[in-house]
Amino acid sequence: MEIPYTVKARPDTGLWNAKVGIWLFLASEVMLFGGLFSAYIFLRLGSWHWPHGVLNIPIGLFNTFVLITSSVTMVFAWASLKMRNLHKFEWFLGITILCGFIFLGIKSYEYYEKFHHYGLIFKNEAVANRYRAEVEAAGGQIKPSIIEGQYEVTGHIEEMDEETMKFIPDSIHSSEPMVQIVSVLQTITGKKTEHGEAVVFQQDDIYRWGPFVPRYSSYFAIYFTLTALHALHVIGGMVVMAYFWIPGRKLYHADPEHFTNRVEVVGLFWHFVDLVWIFLFPVLYLL
Amino acid sequence: MASVALSESEHSHAVVDHHHEELSFLRKYVFSTDHKIIGVQYGITALLFLLFGFVLMMLMRWQLAYPGKPLPWFGDWMWLLLGKKNAALLMPDGVMSPDLYNSFGAMHGTIMVFLGVVPLGFAAFGNYVVPLQVGAPDMAFPRINMASYHSFLWGGLVMLISFFVPGGAAKSGWTSYSPLASIADTAYHPFWNGQTMWLLGMVLLITSSLLGSVNFIATIIQLRAKGMSWMRMPFFVWAQLVTAFLLLLAFPPLEAAGVMQLMDRVAGTSFFLPSGLVVNGQHFSALSGGGSPLLWQHLFWFLGHPEVYVILLPALGMVCEILATNARKPIWGYPSLVFSVVAIGFLSFIVWAHHMYMTGMGTKVSAFFQTTTVIISVPSVVILSCLLISLWGGSIRFNTPMLFALGFLPMFGIGGLTGIPLAFSALGSYLHDSYYVIGHFHYVVAPGVVFGLFAGVYHWYPKITGRFMNEFWGKVHFWITLVCMNGIFFPMFLQGMAGMHRRWYDGGAAYELSKPLLHWNEFMSVSAWIMGLAQIPFIINFFISFRTGKKASDNPWEATTLEWQTPTPPPHGNFATEPVVYRGPYEYSVPGEAKDFSPQNEPVKEYNKNL
Ligand code: HEM
Ligand SMILES: [Cu+2]
């Protein structure tokens, strides 16, 4: 026996099954990301100082536009199917998938940048103060870290041995997006940016140091967890879209309405993924 | 209500037509998309896990009754459960080590809750019974249904495999509180260790329940038969609907928490590790710090409390069906049952922190959660009262399912009433983490919910297999289990009120204050072992009746709901003709009718229409 209302809407609810299903699924997704957002609030409220300007805002903004564009093309893809224009559908879905790739590519680049950026935390405030003048002379800054009473300096390691570490501090202006985008572009084109002079730190004075990976601080922990989970959703959506782009298309010739419904379901999921990013961007990049 | 005829040709690629072609064994029994087969798969798997969780507790009860004495006989076989290396490590000279006690305790809780009771009550009975009761040909998404079972199975297998990884299964309680759980077991192996496996298993189980709950809700909303309006749905369907919503919305935050704990364990973050944490002289937050152990508790109990209703409601729904059938009377106050269960659903999202009175979250917060907790007990009492009143003046049939359903009422009553003192933060702070709490929730889940589940097994067995289970052995099973349950759990109230702490590895032998109560430990353990023996007739009955039981007709209990108006066992697609519903779910002993039951799909006679 066939399952009723797979294609046509049930008269009293006005919905076909998969639409009910996807809305329910999205409700649970809201709770999943809600759990992580509440963790963000918890961690931030409990921190002594919350890092600002660590992420590259123009790049994040660009990625936001990429995703919004992809949501629009997704709607066009579905609308083309409604108008029974398979050819147009292919184009629009193709662009949507391409946007997914661009988004992921940029995100990987951002990740890569972070993995190659370092921070070091001084044993205590007195030690930090001893280096303050030297760091500032080199164009850098010693800032409070997330944990109460801890101070850190961020930048790039030039060289290190057992006793000392030569470190190029981030420029004081690095929190200003314009300066950062310039330095990023310079890195892309292979020119090394002149941050300033290297400062030599005694290993004995360092409490801990490391690249900007999740374990570096609670900020990076929640940043990577949220964005990686989001990226997994992007990948999931792209896999399903790719399926409908090539092999799943067979269904269109057998039952165009059913196929359109399925694309609508993927579309709803894709809009949700987009929406999550619209929350992630201000929360992680701007606030 | 208008309805589209089912025969309208709709291309559904989600269902494979089973009844035309012969399917291979694999497609029919392992990768089946038929909700009835999936229900049976869930049922048998969950019963096995229930037994396994009980066996763990029977082993632990030896240690509680005779602390430090080597486990007799079983001691030699423990390597089967733990692997040779772990057995030597965790059971030196056949004596249960504290680590092993913790491990069994944590896995007992996890397995009972996530792999036993919920899959049996929600997934197994829900899968088998709900589509039949609403008059649907199958679940809305049959293939997702199959994926749900397989995800569940793998979650369970990962939990079982975790007994063999270095150091054995998780040891931090079923609640996996951080920071303990964030740092546990990593010394044995950085990745293949008990707690990490627990988290992986949980992610699979959460996925499974997510797929299941979407499917249940969609089925109930979309696939109700013609005439099956909301207030004509059997109470069991309502209970399942609310349960599905709880699973759908409460589980994801735990998944988020699980991901974060996994990050803490494998990526070195400190979501849940406070700054400056030192354990055994070792600094644990030297790398990141700034985390919050309270965060874990909030996220855990945001699931944890709704979860107790996920455990309870399906069993409550089954008990309601069985009481109505065997009292030959309509359920008293069906609308109040429905409103109460929906109210419980909403309220259960705002009571979670009554598990956290001792965490120092502040008196204002405590006051809020204490108020909501007291309020949520009202609808529970309404439901229990309606069920009790429904018995009044009935001509009750005391068959095995009815005995278990009747046993449920007072046992659940004790469990519920002993929970009320815990709602008040002043008393809760004293009783917190004592055996009183263990006694309280076990009265709800063991003689309560498990009785409801047994009732369900005996009640629907004839529909599923076409044969009855043996009545005599069923009654033996019931009476011994009833007596033993109370023998195990009642003394826990006494011990707890006197201050005996839960999770004590030696049952309190090392503590002066528990001296006067120690003698109960042996009594409780012996009760548990006798109860273990009493399950043997059930197990044999369960498998033998399949072949030798008395043959059952299509509607052997003369019940009214739709699942009994199908052929026994129901064919693929469920109904011979599309069912149409004309009346409410519990029309027993309707005046003026020839029979004492009027099935939902039987048209109402003209002269009765105005009654
Ligand atoms: C019917 C046989 C059962 C017996 C004899 C039993 C016995 C026990 C005992 C003695 C403890 C406390 C252990 C300790 O504090 O060291 C315990 C803990 C627990 N039980 Fe049961 N139980 C049974 C059934 C169930 C069922 C059906 C469920 C759930 C649906 C369940 C869930 C739990 C949980 C969640 C804990 C807490 C575990 C922890 O501390 O992490 N039990 N059980
Ligand atoms: Cu609770």
Side-chain angles (χ1 to χ4, degrees):
Chain A
M1 196 183 276
E2 301 259 337
I3 309 287
Y5 314 122
T6 44
V7 182
K8 292 215 178 65
R10 183 184 160 111
D12 60 345
T13 62
L15 299 162
W16 26 273
N17 299 342
K19 202 146 171 186
V20 177
I22 191 72
W23 278 115
L24 291 168
F25 176 71
L26 293 183
S28 94
E29 291 277 77
V30 167
M31 297 305 287
L32 177 66
F33 282 97
L36 287 169
F37 275 114
S38 60
Y40 169 87
I41 294 169
F42 239 83
L43 291 176
R44 183 158 181 175
L45 290 180
S47 69
W48 184 48
H49 170 88
W50 197 248
H52 291 277
V54 184
L55 300 174
N56 190 317
I57 294 171
I59 284 196
L61 199 62
F62 180 67
N63 242 352
T64 310
F65 283 119
V66 171
L67 271 195
I68 291 178
T69 310
S70 77
S71 257
V72 174
T73 53
M74 186 75 229
V75 174
F76 285 153
W78 169 74
S80 317
L81 275 185
K82 271 280 177 203
M83 296 183 286
R84 300 288 184 267
N85 188 338
L86 189 63
H87 186 66
K88 259 188 160 178
F89 158 77
E90 278 162 12
W91 267 104
F92 281 123
L93 194 67
I95 298 174
T96 315
I97 298 173
L98 185 70
C99 284
F101 274 113
I102 296 176
F103 176 85
L104 289 177
I106 292 179
K107 201 77 220 150
S108 328
Y109 168 72
E110 280 188 278
Y111 270 28
Y112 173 86
E113 273 286 286
K114 287 290 160 274
F115 293 160
H116 291 82
H117 207 97
Y118 296 84
L120 61 82
I121 289 171
F122 298 102
K123 279 225 164 106
N124 53 49
E125 195 178 351
V127 172
N129 284 340
R130 258 202 277 127
Y131 286 103
R132 198 176 288 276
E134 205 179 338
V135 168
E136 276 164 12
Q141 199 182 13
I142 291 179
K143 292 186 236 165
S145 97
I146 281 190
I147 314 283
E148 181 157 9
Q150 288 188 353
Y151 289 84
E152 68 177 354
V153 56
T154 60
H156 284 272
I157 297 176
E158 201 167 65
E159 67 189 73
M160 54 187 293
D161 52 45
E162 267 171 36
E163 274 109 50
T164 61
M165 180 188 281
K166 256 179 125 178
F167 200 81
I168 310 175
D170 281 339
S171 107
I172 249 182
H173 304 290
S174 72
S175 64
E176 283 171 25
M178 282 322 292
V179 176
Q180 217 183 32
I181 190 84
V182 169
S183 81
V184 168
L185 288 177
Q186 279 174 330
T187 323
I188 295 176
T189 52
K191 271 185 277 167
K192 252 221 166 299
T193 40
E194 270 309 316
H195 276 293
E197 269 167 59
V199 180
V200 181
F201 299 100
Q202 301 299 314
Q203 293 276 11
D204 276 354
D205 294 337
I206 301 171
Y207 173 59
R208 64 184 172 88
W209 64 272
F212 285 177
V213 291
R215 69 190 306 167
Y216 179 76
S217 74
S218 295
Y219 171 78
F220 283 109
I222 192 75
Y223 163 72
F224 280 111
T225 309
L226 268 169
T227 50
L229 198 69
H230 176 258
L232 280 180
H233 280 75
V234 172
I235 294 172
M238 286 167 63
V239 168
V240 180
M241 288 193 290
Y243 172 78
F244 286 129
W245 202 38
I246 309 279
R249 204 165 35 183
K250 275 197 306 264
L251 180 60
Y252 178 80
H253 302 292
D255 185 350
E257 192 58 23
H258 196 182
F259 184 65
T260 311
N261 286 355
R262 289 190 162 187
V263 170
E264 186 176 352
V265 166
V266 194
L268 284 170
F269 177 75
W270 192 251
H271 298 326
F272 171 79
V273 173
D274 191 4
L275 188 70
V276 170
W277 179 258
I278 299 211
F279 278 93
L280 283 178
F281 175 65
V283 163
L284 296 171
Y285 286 70
L286 304 179
L287 291 180
Chain B
M1 182 199 70
S3 164
V4 179
L6 301 187
S7 55
E8 235 184 60
S9 135
E10 294 175 339
H11 294 262
S12 165
H13 292 254
V15 255
V16 190
D17 255 51
H18 282 237
H19 50 300
H20 294 318
E21 55 199 283
E22 265 311 304
L23 290 167
S24 66
F25 176 83
L26 219 57
R27 288 296 305 279
K28 204 163 168 186
Y29 296 111
V30 184
F31 295 101
S32 172
T33 53
D34 183 330
H35 73 103
K36 298 182 290 297
I37 302 282
I38 295 174
V40 172
Q41 287 175 329
Y42 259 119
I44 291 178
T45 320
L47 278 168
L48 289 173
F49 274 117
L50 214 53
L51 181 67
F52 180 62
F54 182 48
V55 167
L56 291 182
M57 195 38 81
M58 287 200 284
L59 296 170
M60 288 165 74
R61 289 264 23 145
W62 173 269
Q63 167 66 21
L64 291 173
Y66 313 111
K69 298 221 178 89
L71 206 66
W73 195 74
F74 289 101
D76 302 337
W77 296 96
M78 289 300 279
W79 61 271
L80 280 175
L81 176 58
L82 302 168
K84 285 230 157 77
K85 245 186 166 160
N86 278 343
L89 179 73
L90 299 170
M91 285 213 46
D93 308 317
V95 180
M96 192 177 277
S97 66
D99 266 1
L100 189 62
Y101 182 88
N102 286 342
S103 175
F104 280 7
M107 295 312 281
H108 161 78
T110 304
I111 287 171
M112 283 297 192
V113 172
F114 298 115
L115 290 158
V117 172
V118 174
L120 187 55
F122 177 70
F125 284 105
N127 253 305
Y128 201 96
V129 177
V130 166
L132 289 168
Q133 282 194 334
V134 299
D138 202 316
M139 291 288 241
F141 312 113
R143 277 194 300 198
I144 289 183
N145 206 13
M146 172 180 86
S148 163
Y149 172 72
H150 283 269
S151 176
F152 159 73
L153 183 65
W154 276 101
L157 290 177
V158 167
M159 292 288 183
L160 290 184
I161 293 167
S162 78
F163 281 92
F164 295 96
V165 298
K171 305 168 188 63
S172 312
W174 83 289
T175 51
S176 279
Y177 271 15
S178 275
L180 184 61
S182 279
I183 59 180
D185 294 343
T186 33
Y188 295 115
H189 189 281
F191 192 82
W192 299 116
N193 56 58
Q195 186 62 26
T196 304
M197 295 284 279
W198 186 90
L199 289 167
L200 295 179
M202 284 307 289
V203 168
L204 287 166
L205 293 177
I206 295 173
T207 307
S208 144
S209 89
L210 172 65
L211 298 176
S213 51
V214 168
N215 221 336
F216 276 69
I217 301 173
T219 304
I220 295 173
I221 293 181
Q222 290 288 99
L223 302 190
R224 277 167 294 128
K226 197 174 168 190
M228 179 61 83
S229 59
W230 292 102
M231 291 314 263
R232 280 182 184 164
M233 290 199 314
F235 181 63
F236 179 65
V237 177
W238 271 108
Q240 290 282 339
L241 182 64
V242 173
T243 308
F245 268 109
L246 296 183
L247 283 174
L248 185 78
L249 300 177
F251 242 142
L254 181 66
E255 184 149 29
V259 168
M260 287 188 274
Q261 195 173 84
L262 206 59
M263 291 287 284
D264 275 4
R265 296 177 57 80
V266 300
T269 60
S270 60
F271 284 107
F272 305 123
L273 302 179
S275 305
L277 178 70
V278 180
V279 178
N280 288 341
Q282 194 187 344
H283 282 264
F284 272 97
S285 62
L287 278 170
S288 166
S292 162
L294 261 186
L295 175 60
W296 171 269
Q297 296 194 22
H298 278 298
L299 292 174
F300 182 87
W301 287 114
F302 187 80
L303 161 85
H305 190 87
E307 181 77 6
V308 309
Y309 290 99
V310 169
I311 292 172
L312 172 69
L313 293 182
L316 202 63
M318 295 195 269
V319 166
C320 177
E321 303 297 303
I322 293 161
L323 288 182
T325 308
N326 292 301
R328 317 303 297 162
K329 265 191 66 197
I331 286 294
W332 192 87
Y334 167 83
S336 21
L337 279 184
V338 170
F339 294 132
S340 297
V341 80
V342 173
I344 286 183
F346 279 110
L347 286 169
S348 71
F349 282 105
I350 47 168
V351 298
W352 79 88
H354 61 212
H355 296 270
M356 298 165 60
Y357 289 145
M358 297 285 279
T359 57
M361 58 182 181
T363 46
K364 286 208 184 68
V365 183
S366 287
F368 172 78
F369 283 101
Q370 139 178 329
T371 313
T372 53
T373 305
V374 175
I375 294 174
I376 201 175
S377 62
V378 175
S380 315
V381 172
V382 170
I383 293 181
L384 199 62
S385 310
C386 287
L387 293 181
L388 271 176
I389 297 170
S390 301
L391 295 172
W392 189 267
S395 47
I396 299 176
R397 300 168 174 169
F398 288 101
N399 48 29
T400 310
M402 186 60 168
L403 285 179
F404 273 105
L406 289 174
F408 169 93
L409 297 177
M411 295 296 110
F412 171 61
I414 296 177
L417 291 177
T418 51
I420 292 176
L422 294 171
F424 296 96
S425 59
L427 274 168
S429 299
Y430 170 68
L431 293 167
H432 181 83
D433 254 347
S434 74
Y435 260 97
Y436 179 91
V437 175
I438 303 282
H440 146 67
F441 78 73
H442 278 85
Y443 262 95
V444 176
V445 297
V449 169
V450 171
F451 272 22
L453 297 174
F454 278 138
V457 171
Y458 284 99
H459 183 68
W460 278 293
Y461 194 89
K463 177 84 303 183
I464 298 170
T465 63
R467 290 173 190 272
F468 287 98
M469 284 176 79
N470 183 291
E471 271 292 304
F472 173 76
W473 288 110
K475 284 179 179 154
V476 170
H477 176 212
F478 170 73
W479 285 111
I480 305 182
T481 307
L482 179 71
V483 172
C484 291
M485 281 284 189
N486 287 284
I488 304 169
F489 296 116
F490 201 82
M492 289 190 182
F493 291 130
L494 308 177
Q495 292 185 329
M497 282 189 281
M500 243 170 92
H501 202 280
R502 74 194 282 200
R503 296 188 188 171
W504 268 352
Y505 149 73
D506 59 0
Y511 295 82
E512 195 57 40
L513 67 92
S514 45
K515 288 269 149 67
L517 295 145
L518 277 185
H519 64 277
W520 282 113
N521 279 342
E522 189 174 3
F523 174 81
M524 291 152 75
S525 294
V526 171
S527 301
W529 299 326
I530 297 177
M531 196 173 95
L533 293 178
Q535 306 314 304
I536 294 174
F538 169 71
I539 297 169
I540 296 178
N541 198 351
F542 186 87
F543 285 107
I544 295 239
S545 302
F546 187 67
R547 294 236 176 279
T548 65
K550 198 169 73 168
K551 278 229 153 82
S553 64
D554 285 353
N555 189 358
W557 308 117
E558 306 185 304
T560 53
T561 43
L562 285 184
E563 81 269 34
W564 303 103
Q565 320 310 328
T566 61
T568 286
H572 186 74
N574 293 345
F575 293 92
T577 53
E578 192 199 334
V580 180
V581 173
Y582 298 99
R583 45 173 100 221
Y586 305 116
E587 305 228 340
Y588 289 98
S589 309
V590 179
E593 299 273 354
K595 322 180 260 48
D596 74 343
F597 67 105
S598 311
Q600 286 193 274
N601 59 350
E602 194 179 279
V604 183
K605 288 208 189 78
E606 216 35 63
Y607 61 83
N608 248 350
K609 272 212 168 130
N610 301 325
L611 278 182

